[in-house]
């Protein structure tokens, strides 16, 4: 999923979980994925909730790895 197509999902996630810090980084040297997304919070439950929400928004076929 290209960054431009991912952006609306990240915007919505930021509205739903404003206390999480989001980052998206285009990847040009790996053919398996186009964007690396980071979710950061000092609260593991907040980060976990944000990850679950984001994964629920995306087509599973577009997610290479979540950790």
């Amino acid at each position: 999923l290209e960054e431009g197509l991912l952006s609306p999902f990240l915007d919505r996630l930021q509205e739903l979980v404003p206390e999480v810090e989001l980052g998206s980084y285009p990847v040009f040297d790996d053919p398996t994925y186009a964007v690396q997304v980071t979710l950061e919070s000092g609260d593991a439950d907040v980060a976990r909730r944000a990850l679950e929400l984001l994964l629920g928004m995306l087509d599973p076929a577009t997610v290479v790895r979540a950790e």
Side-chain angles (χ1 to χ4, degrees):
L1 191 59
E2 295 176 13
E3 192 170 25
L5 298 174
L6 184 61
S7 181
F9 298 106
L10 297 179
D11 290 344
R12 180 67 179 136
L13 182 62
Q14 193 69 82
E15 291 172 4
L16 294 171
V17 191
E19 61 272 40
V20 74
E21 292 183 34
L22 301 176
S24 64
Y25 308 92
V27 175
F28 302 106
D29 61 349
D30 189 328
T32 59
Y33 64 102
V35 179
Q36 178 179 353
V37 176
T38 61
L39 309 173
E40 297 182 44
S41 174
D43 184 329
D45 291 332
V46 169
R48 193 171 9 265
R49 178 173 164 253
L51 177 59
E52 290 171 2
L53 285 169
L54 181 59
L55 291 175
M57 294 178 197
L58 301 174
D59 176 348
T62 65
V63 178
V64 174
R65 183 175 71 236
E67 48 184 66

